Amino acid sequence: ACGCMIRSREEWEKTAVGTAVKNMPLVQFKKGSGLNKPSWGPVDPKKGPLSGIKVLDLTHIIAGPACSRILAEYGADVLLVRRGAFLSQEQAMLELDGWAGKNSIQLDLNQSEDLSKMKKLIADADIITYSYRNGCFDKFGLSMEEIRKINPNVIYANLNCFSDSEWENRPGWAPLAEDITGLSVRNGSLEDPKNLNGVPLDYIPGFILALGTLLAIKRRLVTGESGEVYTSLTRGAQYLHE
């Protein structure tokens, strides 16, 4: 398990990582390698404005699935990739809320056949949503660079704990982000910090990433440019402070 030092907002903003996160835009956009206007076809009004768009959902727990659930509600065809032995893992029941409106497939990337299936799904996707720790899939040959080689036109939407900072590859989840950014102190006190009710620091960053993904879709439709979209749990916490 990962943990953190509980800080006040003032203490957080004085740290190197806190300063970096504070100065970031709420959603960061980076150019991708593709420049090709999509042919998604006419919108099916019965499904919604994102009908015809394929989303490969590489997310878990709550925040990432909240993003892709919004895309599914807007009519996208979302395929959630579940991990091997998924139902035996403790957090599976936390994810029920994020499954709504999605199809799913269970893959074990340690198996060559399943890894081949994953690469085919990547090649066929219009959007990839990703919320595992940065670098988690690199050992399978699925780093951001390798994904771009497989599908240069894909929109890549990434949500992690600490965003593009010196801690970008560290793991973390919503209560930890509340603790380190001072939200728990603000909701209680330094002597008696309290996490927020209803895990808003899962849902709100997930919704922020969904908004960024919609903007990236618009950009692709107008210019043909594929791109990357980034936000984080700690940037979402900073947004709540603001």
Side-chain angles (χ1 to χ4, degrees), residues 17-76:
V17 63
T19 300
V21 171
K22 178 184 177 182
N23 292 329
M24 289 174 187
L26 188 59
V27 179
Q28 295 189 83
F29 296 95
K30 297 181 181 180
K31 286 187 177 181
S33 54
L35 191 61
N36 181 26
K37 288 190 178 181
S39 55
W40 288 324
V43 169
D44 183 346
K46 293 182 180 179
K47 292 184 177 180
L50 299 188
S51 60
I53 295 178
K54 295 180 180 179
V55 179
L56 183 61
D57 188 8
L58 308 182
T59 66
H60 65 143
I61 315 298
I62 298 174
C67 167
S68 46
R69 174 181 166 173
I70 291 288
L71 302 181
E73 289 174 352
Y74 274 54

Side-chain angles (χ1 to χ4, degrees), residues 161 184 225:
C161 190
S184 297
E225 176 189 308

Side-chain angles (χ1 to χ4, degrees), residues 93-133:
M93 298 309 293
L94 295 175
E95 303 187 15
L96 286 170
D97 172 73
W99 296 348
K102 304 176 184 180
N103 295 306
S104 66
I105 186 172
Q106 188 159 320
L107 297 177
D108 180 352
L109 299 185
N110 294 293
Q111 305 298 320
S112 59
E113 183 179 349
D114 283 4
L115 182 57
S116 294
K117 288 180 182 178
M118 173 71 93
K119 291 180 178 179
K120 290 178 182 177
L121 291 171
I122 290 171
D124 195 41
D126 299 304
I127 299 167
I128 291 175
T129 54
Y130 183 94
S131 69
Y132 287 88
R133 180 177 56 81

Side-chain angles (χ1 to χ4, degrees), residues 3-231:
C4 72
M5 180 79 72
I6 291 179
R7 290 178 167 89
S8 67
R9 177 184 178 182
E10 292 73 21
E11 290 170 332
W12 154 253
E13 291 180 353
K14 289 178 181 177
T15 66
V17 63
T19 300
V21 171
K22 178 184 177 182
N23 292 329
M24 289 174 187
L26 188 59
V27 179
Q28 295 189 83
F29 296 95
K30 297 181 181 180
K31 286 187 177 181
S33 54
L35 191 61
N36 181 26
K37 288 190 178 181
S39 55
W40 288 324
V43 169
D44 183 346
K46 293 182 180 179
K47 292 184 177 180
L50 299 188
S51 60
I53 295 178
K54 295 180 180 179
V55 179
L56 183 61
D57 188 8
L58 308 182
T59 66
H60 65 143
I61 315 298
I62 298 174
C67 167
S68 46
R69 174 181 166 173
I70 291 288
L71 302 181
E73 289 174 352
Y74 274 54
D77 179 5
V78 180
L79 180 64
L80 170 65
V81 178
R82 295 174 174 171
R83 304 170 300 288
F86 179 80
L87 290 177
S88 67
Q89 299 181 24
E90 182 181 358
Q91 67 266 28
M93 298 309 293
L94 295 175
E95 303 187 15
L96 286 170
D97 172 73
W99 296 348
K102 304 176 184 180
N103 295 306
S104 66
I105 186 172
Q106 188 159 320
L107 297 177
D108 180 352
L109 299 185
N110 294 293
Q111 305 298 320
S112 59
E113 183 179 349
D114 283 4
L115 182 57
S116 294
K117 288 180 182 178
M118 173 71 93
K119 291 180 178 179
K120 290 178 182 177
L121 291 171
I122 290 171
D124 195 41
D126 299 304
I127 299 167
I128 291 175
T129 54
Y130 183 94
S131 69
Y132 287 88
R133 180 177 56 81
N134 283 345
C136 185
F137 283 18
D138 289 13
K139 62 184 178 182
F140 303 113
L142 298 177
S143 66
M144 182 69 253
E145 294 74 18
E146 292 300 322
I147 286 173
R148 281 268 169 244
K149 290 177 183 177
I150 297 171
N151 186 345
N153 294 311
V154 76
I155 293 170
Y156 184 82
N158 176 287
L159 189 153
N160 61 28
C161 190
F162 297 107
S163 202
D164 187 15
S165 70
E166 62 184 75
W167 288 9
E168 63 181 343
N169 294 325
R170 293 194 183 190
W173 49 76
L176 183 151
E178 293 176 29
D179 293 342
I180 200 171
T181 60
L183 281 179
S184 297
V185 172
R186 187 169 180 172
N187 193 44
S189 65
L190 197 57
E191 295 74 25
D192 185 22
K194 298 182 184 297
N195 285 132
L196 304 175
N197 291 328
V199 285
L201 213 58
D202 271 308
Y203 288 103
I204 290 174
F207 298 157
I208 291 169
L209 187 67
L211 176 60
T213 305
L214 292 173
L215 293 172
I217 291 170
K218 178 183 177 181
R219 183 177 297 185
R220 175 122 197 263
L221 285 167
V222 173
T223 69
E225 176 189 308
S226 66
E228 299 165 25
V229 187
Y230 295 89
T231 193

